[in-house]
Amino acid sequence: NTPLPPTPTPTATPAPKRVFAQNVLPDAVRASINDVLAQQPTEFVAATDPNTADIQVAYAPNVDLPTIGNVVFALVAPLPALVDDVPFSAVQAAWQGQPVVCDACTFTGTLRLSESTLAALKVVLGEPAPGAVEVVAPDQLMQTLWDNADSWGIAPFDQLTVRLKVLSIDGLAPLHRALDLNACPLIVKVGLAGSIETAQKFQAAFTSPITNRDENKLSLVAITGVTAMSRDFAATMD
């Protein structure tokens, strides 16, 4: 008689790793995270409690944490503002509630920003001084700045509008092409805290880093200024 094969030993199927995403992360970042969770349901599952999660997705104060992307912010003012460029020291002074001193600066009052922007910038700028910032709803930021002409705001890059003027900081602005993001002070990394093995596996699930600034979608427009299209110029055009 042919002997029966041995009965296989049952093995437990590993449970999916629990991933908690910080509530203050932008909607676009959370959407990208949810896409990965939906694509790999046997590997990862959303967690509602950060204390029971295997990893947490959060703004990363520690550059050594595995990261999955970044969120780019811009210093903004009402469109008619005369100032174009400010030193980072002026932004730090405003954040700390100290007098802002720089060429062509007309900043007064408080920095305006949303609750989620405040949570992100605390990672790179620390706690703001009492009264140094005013939290406003994202859809009210533009009007609030126009109502306070000599004020500045900070907004996520993807929420910029044509009525907001982007100010460069030490000559760098997120509207510039070929921008060295590592040199920009108002950029916050999105990191993974918790089990390093799980974090690295979750990091590898993203085909490209998450960001709210896609340079491939920036359009460059060249404008000549005032030109009279007449006389010899008109003949040349013809």
Side-chain angles (χ1 to χ4, degrees):
N1 296 329
T2 303
L4 295 175
T7 302
T9 303
T11 57
T13 301
K17 299 300 183 181
R18 294 158 296 181
V19 180
F20 178 82
Q22 231 181 21
N23 293 332
V24 295
L25 291 172
D27 290 342
V29 172
R30 294 174 63 84
S32 296
I33 294 170
N34 289 335
D35 287 344
V36 169
L37 297 178
Q39 293 164 8
Q40 301 191 25
T42 61
E43 297 289 340
F44 306 104
V45 65
T48 57
D49 184 356
N51 297 316
T52 61
D54 295 291
I55 55 172
Q56 294 187 41
V57 187
Y59 289 122
N62 184 347
V63 295
D64 294 331
L65 290 176
T67 60
I68 57 174
N70 58 58
V71 180
V72 180
F73 296 90
L75 182 67
V76 295
L79 189 60
L82 298 179
V83 61
D84 295 304
D85 180 74
V86 302
F88 183 50
S89 59
V91 179
Q92 292 174 306
W95 189 264
Q96 296 162 4
Q98 299 173 357
V100 173
V101 179
C102 63
D103 294 338
C105 283
T106 56
F107 173 79
T108 59
T110 59
L111 284 167
R112 271 82 179 189
L113 38 69
S114 69
E115 187 71 49
S116 62
T117 297
L118 175 60
L121 293 183
K122 284 181 180 180
V123 173
V124 294
L125 296 176
E127 286 286 339
V133 302
E134 178 185 342
V135 173
V136 299
D139 59 353
Q140 296 296 315
L141 177 62
M142 183 266 294
Q143 189 60 53
T144 302
L145 292 177
W146 275 74
D147 292 341
N148 300 271
D150 289 335
S151 63
W152 297 343
I154 301 177
F157 182 80
D158 56 301
Q159 294 179 16
L160 297 177
T161 72
V162 294
R163 298 194 68 199
L164 289 176
K165 181 177 186 178
V166 176
L167 309 181
S168 59
I169 300 176
D170 291 327
L172 300 174
L175 291 177
H176 294 167
R177 285 178 174 270
L179 181 66
D180 180 5
L181 295 180
N182 292 323
C184 296
L186 299 185
I187 292 179
V188 187
K189 295 183 181 298
V190 179
L192 306 173
S195 164
I196 293 298
E197 181 181 353
T198 303
Q200 291 175 339
K201 191 173 183 179
F202 190 66
Q203 181 187 42
F206 292 84
T207 56
S208 60
I210 298 173
T211 182
N212 65 335
R213 176 188 179 273
D214 185 350
E215 191 162 302
N216 293 324
K217 295 181 180 179
L218 291 180
S219 297
L220 181 63
V221 181
I223 303 176
T224 64
V226 178
T227 303
M229 291 178 285
S230 61
R231 299 186 181 180
D232 289 344
F233 183 51
T236 302
M237 290 173 60
D238 290 340

